[in-house]
Amino acid sequence: MLQSVKLQRRQSEIRQKLSELVGKDEPSTDEVREIETLDTEFRSNEIRYRAALVTENDERREAGEEIENRSDKEWSDLVDKFELRQVALYYDEGRALDGHTAEIVQELRSSGGFRGVPVPWQALEQRAGETVSSGTPDPVRTAPIIDRLFPQSVAGRMGLQMVAIESGSLEYPVTTSSVSAGWQATETGAVAGPTVYAVTDRPLAPDNTLGITMKITRKALKQSGAGLEQAIRRDMASAIGASLDQAIFLGQGSSGQPLGLVYGASTYGINETSVDAAATWAAFREAIVAFMTNNAAGAASDVRILMRPECWSALDDALISGTAVSEWDRLVKNVGAQNVVVSSNALADPAGSPLGTDAVLMTSAGGVAPGFVGLWGAVDVIRDPYSDAASGGLRLTALATADVTVARAAQSEVLQGIHN
């Protein structure tokens, strides 16, 4: 019981006792002494009661902050225990979901509409310490399942921010005007202005849905056991990641795709510079200087660069005359190897004559990411009970809704026609 509640009850008892004693016309000496004792205790308890309220109020505030922080942590810990295998068995055998998996599915269903079983995005991430699953039991020893090759995620490494959205659309108001200062030219003159302060809304809308269909044979379901869960999660996560990376940069804004940062550079207002020359550090340096003059970056190490493998090869092969230093060495020295992302998935294949590729430069300014990727709800896993009914197989379709938008166009630049 709280100390304040105990004191409050004691005060009530003292008041009741005092009312009985004070009501007597001729109290005895003992009763007068008792009245004085109770009065002294009442005044002392009033001070203790106020102190208890202050202390308990601070404790409640600290407990509230702990509960708020604990909520996200508890959800993350709960998702770590999500079993994707239960989803497959639910569709294949009709086995009921149980444990933490059932709790998570119920929670997701309460916050959004899903036709199938919702799978949280975090459940598709490779868990810490996770290794390739053990081999499937067989009279002949079967080696561990070997995953398909997918390129590593590029969007996160380039600094784009992933935004989890439960439902509806989301807009980011971004300042697009240039408010300038000016000195008073004369004693009676006016200062410069007024300058209009304007913002532009950068919307994320649930208009683009990505679908992945997986066909699982009856033999795989019966043989693989728990190892199947790890393989399905990795395969599904890699396929979604590769498709999202490609759409984020090369999406055409049609045929269900979002408008990508490279393909839609002119729409977003991103500067496009035609290099039309061999790959050199000077070409990238010029773009970095533009970031600095626009106050988007303070140093070359603040900029991240996305290029194709062919561009990396050309930079590494171009040696400075009379030295063993390549153009790649110069770029890495100034930008940092950790800020250079090489991908054949997020940028288009070399084209033209001579062959040329694009490169993308991005920077985060003032804590604002160069772009936002919206991910709605969870991955909706739906079963197709008819296509593979004759063979006893299981066909799953995973639906993911996503969109992309740019924060400030000045935080990105596209270099075109870098010769390989």
Side-chain angles (χ1 to χ4, degrees):
M1 184 184 297
L2 293 174
Q3 184 66 19
S4 62
V5 176
K6 293 180 181 179
L7 291 170
Q8 197 172 20
R9 289 185 177 181
R10 177 57 183 161
Q11 294 294 75
S12 180
E13 294 172 359
I14 293 174
R15 280 193 295 268
Q16 184 177 358
K17 187 65 175 175
L18 283 173
S19 65
E20 295 174 1
L21 295 174
V22 174
K24 293 185 177 183
D25 294 333
E26 296 181 1
S28 64
T29 305
D30 292 339
E31 288 174 338
V32 171
R33 194 163 32 248
E34 185 178 0
I35 290 174
E36 293 176 352
T37 302
L38 291 174
D39 180 62
T40 302
E41 182 183 355
F42 187 88
R43 290 197 300 270
S44 175
N45 285 347
E46 281 295 304
I47 298 173
R48 295 175 58 196
Y49 177 70
R50 289 194 295 271
L53 287 178
V54 172
T55 303
E56 290 165 5
N57 184 54
D58 293 340
E59 291 175 351
R60 288 191 189 97
R61 188 181 300 111
E62 292 174 1
E65 294 174 354
E66 181 183 353
I67 289 173
E68 290 175 2
N69 296 332
R70 188 190 304 160
S71 177
D72 293 339
K73 184 177 184 300
E74 286 180 349
W75 174 254
S76 178
D77 293 341
L78 193 62
V79 171
D80 286 342
K81 300 171 184 176
F82 187 91
E83 296 180 354
L84 198 60
R85 180 170 175 262
Q86 285 197 37
V87 178
L89 294 176
Y90 167 80
Y91 281 131
D92 180 53
E93 303 173 358
R95 183 182 300 182
L97 302 176
D98 57 28
H100 299 292
T101 303
E103 185 179 349
I104 292 171
V105 170
Q106 184 178 2
E107 180 71 21
L108 290 173
R109 284 192 186 282
S110 66
S111 60
F114 298 93
R115 290 185 55 198
V117 178
V119 176
W121 286 96
Q122 299 95 317
L124 298 180
E125 297 175 355
Q126 187 168 349
R127 295 167 183 172
E130 191 173 278
T131 58
V132 178
S133 60
S134 57
T136 56
D138 195 275
V140 178
R141 185 177 182 279
T142 306
I145 297 174
I146 300 176
D147 300 325
R148 288 186 293 154
L149 293 176
F150 287 96
Q152 294 182 355
S153 176
V154 173
R157 296 172 62 191
M158 287 297 292
L160 275 75
Q161 182 178 346
M162 304 296 175
V163 183
I165 306 172
E166 289 189 5
S167 60
S169 300
L170 181 65
E171 290 185 343
Y172 286 91
V174 179
T175 302
T176 53
S177 60
S178 298
V179 177
S180 57
W183 293 96
Q184 183 183 24
T186 62
E187 182 179 356
T188 58
V191 297
T195 306
V196 176
Y197 179 83
V199 297
T200 300
D201 291 334
R202 303 295 191 186
L204 288 169
D207 298 331
N208 312 289
T209 298
L210 173 67
I212 297 173
T213 301
M214 307 182 71
K215 182 176 180 180
I216 307 171
T217 65
R218 184 172 180 81
K219 179 180 179 181
L221 286 166
K222 302 303 180 185
Q223 270 193 328
S224 298
L228 182 65
E229 175 192 349
Q230 309 297 341
I232 289 177
R233 185 195 299 119
R234 288 192 301 267
D235 210 27
M236 187 179 293
S238 297
I240 291 176
S243 299
L244 278 177
D245 274 341
Q246 191 172 58
I248 288 169
F249 292 95
L250 299 177
Q252 299 181 8
S254 60
S255 301
Q257 297 180 359
L259 184 61
L261 306 183
V262 175
Y263 191 89
S266 58
T267 302
Y268 290 122
I270 297 175
N271 186 44
E272 298 174 278
T273 301
S274 179
V275 176
D276 196 23
T280 61
W281 155 241
F284 291 95
R285 182 180 59 204
E286 186 176 345
I288 293 173
V289 169
F291 281 133
M292 293 180 176
T293 55
N294 289 330
N295 299 320
S301 57
D302 294 338
V303 179
R304 303 184 184 187
I305 300 175
L306 171 63
M307 65 177 66
R308 281 190 60 91
E310 296 86 353
C311 182
W312 165 80
S313 177
L315 285 167
D316 191 56
D317 190 51
L319 297 178
I320 308 300
S321 179
T323 70
V325 179
S326 67
E327 295 287 348
W328 170 255
D329 294 329
R330 297 177 67 193
L331 185 147
V332 170
K333 177 183 177 182
N334 289 278
V335 177
Q338 73 279 3
N339 289 332
V340 181
V341 181
V342 180
S343 172
S344 60
N345 177 60
L347 294 174
D349 295 336
S353 181
L355 290 176
T357 60
D358 293 341
V360 179
L361 287 79
M362 290 183 169
T363 184
S364 296
V368 178
F372 300 99
V373 179
L375 302 174
W376 271 261
V379 180
D380 197 358
V381 179
I382 304 173
R383 178 196 181 189
D384 177 359
Y386 306 109
S387 299
D388 299 307
S391 64
L394 174 64
R395 185 169 296 195
L396 300 176
T397 299
L399 300 178
T401 301
D403 194 17
V404 60
T405 190
V406 170
R408 302 189 188 101
Q411 292 178 230
S412 302
E413 181 158 353
V414 178
L415 302 183
Q416 300 173 327
I418 301 177
H419 296 172
N420 305 141

